[in-house]
């Protein structure tokens, strides 16, 4: 794994390199995605069925597009009982964490008859997209569905690709059932996003679409934003480890590789103040990679987006961490809690040598749907907030309005909005 001295030039080049992975850099696919979306919008089910046959090789129609209770029951029989128990434990951790995020309506009244407040309402219908191509991710099902359930969403609709025989991955189905998904449909790709955004005869229109996917799914979510809300346009996975000489090089190497194995565009970066640690981690990475099952993907990922950067001091290292704004940040320093206080930009922060990134992916409870490609500077992890909307509440008595109505009239007239001013004045006509 390449080792570089952290300088202004290496930091600038690294940031430019990482931004190439953003879905915004894949405009060559946009025409194809837009064509799929428009076809589904105009032709509904027939377009969905046609694309499912074309891309997944499955004969899907009105009678079999929705997963049945029988299919879910069979899925439980195919999944290891121990995995079911693990998913139940993970589910409870995720639910407990997100219940602490709940917001409630509030009202503030004054003696003169002013009442101000905020009404919190869960979304009526949410669509959850779940990938089903090279690998199945039941953990993503739990992470996307449970915040919506905690928020009180009325109906949760899931779409996920099926195989040629029309079957959905059993672990995905079991996770969806455990989490409380209401309806599951066998459709993937941009066509699934379009179906959720506009609705078809078989698939209901939703208010918001969440969940990860390939570049076609990401671009489709971007294209339908405005017709529906979306969680984010996710890019490839990334991890940044901030470490000093106290870190265990074997742990650091293992954690970097946990993200590099996702895909060839994944990013794994170590920033350290110790040149000795840098060399030790590089050697450990070579040893691990030689025996890991996804060796080819890991090697390509590290070749493209793997870096070990040696900083002059911790201040320089922290500045670089904040500039990169990584999806996952591990802090392996002598005092990780002190270091954490200097971090401004990160999706999820893991503190200490026993809080490795996969703990957050699967079990701890905080959401693993996180901002990528530097968007942690202004975006947050998926949460209960993503599944509610807020309405402002305003009520004034005549007694409360009278002392201030001329102020409002003056403000409105200064903007030449005389109808606004009149709406206030008519209430105090002689």
């Amino acid at each position: 794994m390449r080792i570089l001295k952290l300088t202004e030039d290496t930091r600038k080049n690294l940031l430019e390199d990482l931004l190439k992975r953003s879905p915004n850099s894949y405009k060559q696919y946009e025409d194809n995605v837009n064509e799929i979306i428009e076809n589904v919008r105009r032709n509904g089910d027939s377009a969905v069925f046609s694309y499912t046959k074309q891309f997944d090789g499955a004969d899907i129609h009105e009678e079999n597009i929705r997963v049945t209770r029988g299919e879910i029951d069979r899925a439980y029989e195919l999944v290891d009982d121990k995995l079911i128990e693990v998913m139940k434990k993970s589910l409870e951790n995720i639910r407990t964490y997100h219940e602490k995020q709940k917001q409630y309506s509030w009202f503030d009244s004054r003696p003169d008859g002013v009442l101000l407040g905020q009404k919190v309402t869960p979304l009526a219908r949410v669509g959850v997209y779940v990938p089903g191509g090279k690998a199945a991710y039941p953990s993503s099902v739990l992470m996307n569905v449970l915040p919506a359930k905690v928020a009180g969403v009325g109906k949760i609709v899931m779409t996920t690709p099926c195989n040629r025989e029309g079957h959905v991955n059993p672990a995905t189905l079991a996770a969806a059932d455990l989490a409380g998904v209401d309806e599951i449909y066998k459709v993937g790709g941009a066509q699934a996003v379009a179906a959720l955004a506009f609705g078809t005869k078989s698939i209901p229109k939703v208010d918001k679409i969440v969940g990860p996917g390939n570049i076609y799914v990401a671009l489709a979510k971007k294209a339908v934003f405005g017709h529906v809300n979306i969680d984010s346009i996710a890019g490839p996975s990334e991890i940044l480890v901030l470490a000093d000489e106290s870190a265990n090089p074997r742990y650091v190497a293992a954690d970097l590789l946990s993200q590099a194995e996702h895909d060839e565009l994944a990013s794994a970066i170590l920033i350290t103040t110790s040149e000795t640690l840098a060399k030790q981690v590089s050697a450990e990475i070579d040893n691990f990679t030689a025996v890991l099952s996804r060796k080819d993907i890991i090697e390509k990922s590290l070749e493209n987006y793997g870096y070990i950067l040696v900083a002059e001091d911790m201040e320089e290292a922290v500045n670089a961490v904040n500039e990169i704004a990584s999806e996952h940040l591990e802090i392996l320093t002598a005092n990780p809690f002190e270091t954490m206080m200097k971090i401004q930009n990160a999706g999820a922060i893991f503190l200490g040598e026993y809080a490795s990134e996969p703990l957050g992916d699967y079990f701890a409870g905080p959401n693993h749907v996180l901002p990528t490609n530097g968007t942690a500077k202004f975006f947050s992890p998926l949460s209960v907030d993503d599944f509610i909307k807020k309405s402002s509440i305003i009520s004034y008595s005549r007694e409360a309005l009278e002392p201030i109505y001329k102020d409002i009239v003056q403000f409105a007239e200064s903007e030449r909005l005389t109808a606004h001013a009149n709406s206030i004045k008519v209430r105090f006509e002689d």
Side-chain angles (χ1 to χ4, degrees), residues 76 91 95 141-142 145-146 148-149 153-157 173-184:
Y76 278 107
L91 183 152
R95 192 204 314 277
V141 177
L142 302 182
V145 173
L146 286 167
K149 295 294 289 186
V153 170
K155 177 182 281 189
I156 300 175
V157 179
L173 288 185
D177 188 59
L178 290 171
V181 172
D182 296 294
E183 300 173 7
I184 306 171

Side-chain angles (χ1 to χ4, degrees), residues 17-66:
D17 204 26
L18 294 178
L19 286 174
K20 293 175 185 176
R21 306 172 312 134
S22 167
N24 294 320
S25 300
Y26 290 83
K27 296 187 183 299
Q28 68 268 33
Y29 299 107
E30 286 185 349
D31 288 343
N32 288 339
V33 169
N34 290 334
E35 181 181 334
I36 292 170
I37 291 171
E38 186 57 30
N39 190 8
V40 173
R41 186 177 187 178
R42 284 187 282 106
N43 299 306
D45 276 352
S46 64
V48 170
F49 300 154
S50 176
Y51 286 127
T52 303
K53 180 65 175 177
Q54 178 182 344
F55 298 130
D56 300 318
D59 290 312
I60 295 300
H61 45 77
E62 285 185 34
E63 284 71 34
N64 68 355
I65 188 171
R66 182 172 172 178

Side-chain angles (χ1 to χ4, degrees), residues 357-402:
E357 189 279 336
L359 176 65
D361 270 353
Y362 295 109
F363 209 78
N367 211 287
H368 79 198
V369 180
L370 302 167
T372 58
N373 281 109
T375 60
K377 291 177 180 177
F378 44 83
F379 281 147
S380 304
L382 190 73
S383 73
V384 171
D385 287 352
D386 288 288
F387 300 99
I388 61 172
K389 52 193 177 71
K390 304 166 188 174
S391 302
S392 301
I393 305 297
I394 303 168
S395 178
Y396 266 60
S397 66
R398 180 183 177 87
E399 178 190 3
L401 183 59
E402 188 167 15

Side-chain angles (χ1 to χ4, degrees), residues 95-106:
R95 192 204 314 277
T96 300
Y97 179 87
H98 287 83
E99 281 175 346
K100 293 178 173 62
Q101 298 175 336
K102 288 185 72 171
Q103 295 197 41
Y104 300 91
S105 300
W106 59 267

Side-chain angles (χ1 to χ4, degrees), residues 146-397:
L146 286 167
K149 295 294 289 186
V150 170
V153 170
K155 177 182 281 189
I156 300 175
V157 179
M158 191 177 98
T159 63
T160 187
C162 60
N163 61 20
R164 290 179 176 273
E165 289 72 40
H167 299 146
V168 174
N169 180 276
T172 297
L173 288 185
D177 188 59
L178 290 171
V181 172
D182 296 294
E183 300 173 7
I184 306 171
Y185 294 92
K186 304 171 185 177
V187 56
Q191 60 273 23
V193 174
L196 291 170
F198 301 110
T200 71
K201 185 178 179 181
S202 298
I203 301 174
K205 173 179 166 49
V206 300
D207 301 311
K208 183 166 187 171
I209 302 171
V210 302
N214 61 19
I215 188 62
Y216 287 93
V217 171
L219 291 175
K221 286 169 68 176
K222 179 182 176 183
V224 301
F225 176 65
H227 298 283
V228 293
N229 197 0
I230 62 171
D231 53 349
S232 63
I233 305 170
S237 187
E238 52 199 36
I239 185 172
L240 195 162
V241 177
L242 174 61
D244 60 16
E245 68 281 353
S246 68
N248 184 318
R250 192 166 173 82
Y251 294 173
V252 175
D255 294 354
L256 291 170
L257 295 177
S258 74
Q259 293 307 290
E261 76 169 344
H262 267 296
D263 63 58
E264 296 173 357
L265 295 176
S267 166
I269 299 169
L270 166 64
I271 298 180
T272 181
T273 53
S274 169
E275 190 168 342
T276 299
L277 179 73
K279 293 176 181 177
Q280 291 172 332
V281 169
S282 182
E284 291 287 357
I285 282 175
D286 291 340
N287 293 336
F288 277 132
T289 301
V291 298
L292 290 171
S293 62
R294 295 169 70 89
K295 175 183 176 182
D296 292 343
I297 292 174
I298 289 171
E299 288 179 340
K300 197 68 176 177
S301 168
L302 296 180
E303 179 185 336
N304 292 332
Y305 303 107
Y307 294 88
I308 297 176
L309 303 176
V310 181
E312 190 70 30
D313 52 37
M314 188 54 67
E315 180 180 358
E316 183 181 54
V318 167
N319 288 339
V321 167
N322 283 324
E323 189 66 22
I324 294 169
S326 184
E327 177 188 19
H328 305 99
L329 170 64
E330 289 189 7
I331 300 179
L332 297 172
T333 59
N335 191 336
F337 290 91
E338 180 182 329
T339 307
M340 181 265 292
M341 298 304 295
K342 302 172 185 176
I343 301 300
Q344 296 177 332
N345 305 320
I349 303 174
F350 300 79
L351 302 175
E353 63 181 9
Y354 291 102
S356 63
E357 189 279 336
L359 176 65
D361 270 353
Y362 295 109
F363 209 78
N367 211 287
H368 79 198
V369 180
L370 302 167
T372 58
N373 281 109
T375 60
K377 291 177 180 177
F378 44 83
F379 281 147
S380 304
L382 190 73
S383 73
V384 171
D385 287 352
D386 288 288
F387 300 99
I388 61 172
K389 52 193 177 71
K390 304 166 188 174
S391 302
S392 301
I393 305 297
I394 303 168
S395 178
Y396 266 60
S397 66

